[in-house]
Amino acid sequence: MDNKQKTLELGTKPVGKLLMQYALPAMVAMTASSLYNIIDRAFIGQVVGPEAIAGLGITFPLMNLSGAFGAAVGVGASTCISVKLGQKDYEVAEHLLGNTVTLNLIVGLLFMVVCFIFLNPILLFFGASEATLPYAREFMEVILAGNIITHMYFGMNAVLRAAGKPRHAMYAVLFTVGMNIMLVIAFVWWFRWGIRGAALATIISQSMALCWQMWLFSDKKELIHLKRGIYKLKANLVKNIISIGISPFLMNATACIVVIFMNNLFVRYGGDMAVGAYSIANSICMVFFMLVIGVNQGMQPIAGYNYGAEKYDRMMRVLWLAITAATCILLVGWSLAMLFPREMARIFTTDKTLIEMAGRGIRLNMIVFFVVGGQAVITNFFQCIGQVKISIFLSLTRQLIILIPLAFILPRFLGLDGVWYAMAASDFLSAAMTWPLLLVFLRRFKGVEQVENLKPQNG
């Protein structure tokens, strides 16, 4: 099957099979990425020590902020490309690819320079202490040095999925994860380079995968490929990329704010060990949530293409299938967290205090975890069809509008447990707000004559 036909099947092939075809590779890739994160943190916790785990937790906000800028370009561009492919506007799709490369270079470089200049103040603001600051700085110095590579790697993978190549996107992630694990074993366990070795393994593996991605997009047989004349930034294309990408940007940026706030609360109510417990609990949550991200990545090109092609019945079917899959995944995660929280914590550390604290945190944090899947899919769906304002509102509701006030109030009465309960309560309340909004919105899809009201808000 040629590349054009692979793209056209997004509008013709049965939706269930398409979602399996696109989501499974993404889920495999996300699972591999999750396993890498666990192995990475386990090596750091077991070889370097519990303070290193806490130091790594301090870097999460900065990593999220970097991811926010990367998502603004990568997710925004891939969504625009999906819609243009659905409209069979291949020339514009190709220019979107070129503009994605240029934007990633500019954004990645600026983020690296600014963060290097203010790295110590940033990490201290994020909740670092005298004990954890050296570990956090060692890790971020290497990560920031390779920031352009990271942005480009994730951006190109998003475009691969939009261009009808979900398996190639999966192969890139699997290669990165496999190489990462081997390098972490060598750098952290064998050479004893500590937390800096883990960061170096990440950048080297992403660099190798990026070379392969760029080679793929250099093939002139591809429907969209790299060539002269597509890299100059065009105002209308950049506007479209950013207008779509602003939603995932705010999701990640808000996550950055939340983690800063939560890190400081955990330090206040439980000390550095509580920050380490939060890092462990976050890692466990992400194992399962990354699978939901895989479902969303599989849904995105299908929903975007069929929205562009005005095949709304197919678009709605992929939405409901994605919601069902995401909910089932998180039900499994919830069950394991309720039954085996301390066993999960032991993967990361042998410190009894940290195991006890993290085990309780895992259970409290994930007590209503199963409701998050539907909320995450619905938020991503609105982004896929260009309804940016709704997507932003739902993102901010879960991560900021509800969580921050609860996290400020509950610990005053419940102490450290109140910090954990605030996250669970935010998950439940935001899901309760999301469903009525979706059902009201979907009434507008009942007749094709109402389609004009649903055009993307930003072109």
Side-chain angles (χ1 to χ4, degrees):
M1 184 183 298
D2 61 30
N3 294 312
K4 186 172 182 179
Q5 185 60 36
K6 287 181 181 178
T7 303
L8 291 175
E9 73 177 9
L10 288 167
T12 57
K13 193 172 182 177
V15 173
K17 290 183 178 179
L18 269 179
L19 185 60
M20 290 279 286
Q21 176 183 331
Y22 276 76
L24 279 179
M27 290 169 69
V28 170
M30 292 298 101
T31 301
S33 184
S34 298
L35 290 175
Y36 160 69
N37 288 330
I38 286 180
I39 293 170
D40 192 24
R41 285 157 180 75
F43 265 94
I44 291 171
Q46 300 284 354
V47 177
V48 187
E51 292 83 4
I53 281 285
L56 192 63
I58 296 299
T59 68
F60 284 168
L62 196 52
M63 298 284 281
N64 283 335
L65 189 58
S66 175
F69 285 100
V73 178
V75 176
S78 63
T79 301
C80 290
I81 288 172
S82 292
V83 172
K84 291 302 177 182
L85 290 176
Q87 296 170 346
K88 299 180 177 56
D89 193 345
Y90 304 124
E91 182 178 354
V92 172
E94 204 157 51
H95 277 84
L96 283 165
L97 170 63
N99 277 219
T100 302
V101 173
T102 305
L103 283 173
N104 273 317
L105 287 172
I106 295 171
V107 173
L109 180 62
L110 289 176
F111 185 87
M112 176 187 69
V113 171
V114 172
C115 288
F116 257 128
I117 294 172
F118 302 104
L119 186 55
N120 269 12
I122 289 171
L123 293 174
L124 289 169
F125 178 69
F126 288 175
S129 66
E130 290 184 7
T132 59
L133 179 61
Y135 294 105
R137 182 176 179 87
E138 279 188 31
F139 186 80
M140 286 311 305
E141 282 176 344
V142 178
I143 293 296
L144 287 173
N147 191 65
I148 295 175
I149 292 168
T150 300
H151 278 216
M152 194 70 69
Y153 162 72
F154 284 113
M156 292 298 99
N157 235 34
V159 176
L160 275 174
R161 287 188 295 271
K165 293 186 174 293
R167 288 188 179 181
H168 290 77
M170 177 187 71
Y171 297 151
V173 175
L174 289 178
F175 172 83
T176 304
V177 169
M179 182 58 63
N180 222 327
I181 291 172
M182 290 190 291
L183 291 176
V184 163
I185 293 172
F187 294 166
V188 178
W189 181 67
W190 191 4
F191 295 131
R192 299 286 169 165
W193 288 353
I195 199 168
R196 189 185 296 272
L200 188 60
T202 298
I203 298 302
I204 291 174
S205 57
Q206 289 177 350
S207 300
M208 296 172 72
L210 176 60
C211 290
W212 182 68
Q213 292 169 331
M214 300 304 281
W215 177 77
L216 284 176
F217 279 115
S218 299
D219 187 352
K220 294 181 180 180
K221 295 179 181 179
E222 296 296 331
L223 187 60
I224 58 172
H225 58 271
L226 299 173
K227 62 181 183 181
R228 291 183 179 181
I230 64 173
Y231 302 103
K232 184 178 179 180
L233 295 179
K234 293 188 175 182
N236 63 321
L237 298 185
V238 173
K239 180 182 177 182
N240 285 342
I241 290 171
I242 300 303
S243 66
I244 299 297
I246 193 67
S247 176
F249 170 81
L250 288 176
M251 288 175 65
N252 284 274
T254 301
C256 170
I257 295 170
V258 167
V259 174
I260 295 169
F261 185 70
M262 301 305 284
N263 275 342
N264 281 280
L265 284 177
F266 279 115
V267 169
R268 177 180 177 183
Y269 289 99
D272 287 340
M273 285 295 101
V275 177
Y278 179 41
S279 175
I280 291 172
N282 242 355
S283 297
I284 296 298
C285 285
M286 287 306 295
V287 170
F288 300 99
F289 194 72
M290 290 287 266
L291 290 172
V292 174
I293 294 175
V295 173
N296 279 337
Q297 290 178 350
M299 177 186 72
Q300 183 265 320
I302 304 169
Y305 183 99
N306 285 285
Y307 181 70
E310 299 186 354
K311 298 182 178 182
Y312 301 112
D313 57 331
R314 294 174 57 81
M315 179 196 70
M316 292 173 67
R317 177 158 174 74
V318 77
L319 168 65
W320 295 120
L321 288 173
I323 289 172
T324 302
T327 302
C328 290
I329 290 166
L330 295 195
L331 270 172
V332 173
W334 172 81
S335 300
L336 293 174
M338 296 304 106
L339 294 172
F340 310 109
R342 288 169 183 80
E343 288 76 6
M344 291 177 171
R346 287 193 185 98
I347 297 172
F348 299 88
T349 182
T350 56
D351 187 275
K352 292 182 179 180
T353 301
L354 185 53
I355 289 172
E356 188 65 28
M357 193 175 288
R360 180 167 179 79
I362 290 168
R363 181 172 282 170
L364 295 180
N365 187 33
M366 298 176 68
I367 197 168
V368 292
F369 194 48
F370 51 87
V371 307
V372 177
Q375 201 270 353
V377 170
I378 293 167
T379 300
N380 186 71
F381 168 75
F382 282 120
Q383 172 192 307
C384 290
I385 63 171
Q387 297 295 325
V388 180
K389 292 180 180 178
I390 299 176
S391 181
I392 291 172
F393 170 74
L394 293 177
S395 300
L396 294 180
T397 296
R398 178 174 175 241
Q399 298 190 79
L400 195 66
I401 297 172
I402 298 175
L403 177 57
I404 295 296
L406 287 176
F408 182 77
I409 295 168
L410 293 183
R412 294 174 178 268
F413 301 97
L414 302 173
L416 182 59
D417 282 356
V419 186
W420 296 110
Y421 279 124
M423 292 187 283
S426 173
D427 288 340
F428 181 80
L429 293 174
S430 60
M433 293 178 61
T434 298
W435 280 98
L437 185 61
L438 174 69
L439 295 176
V440 168
F441 183 82
L442 288 184
R443 290 177 184 173
R444 302 169 66 185
F445 283 102
K446 286 185 176 180
V448 177
E449 69 276 4
Q450 297 174 308
V451 163
E452 288 302 318
N453 296 324
L454 298 171
K455 294 295 183 185
Q457 298 167 348
N458 294 286

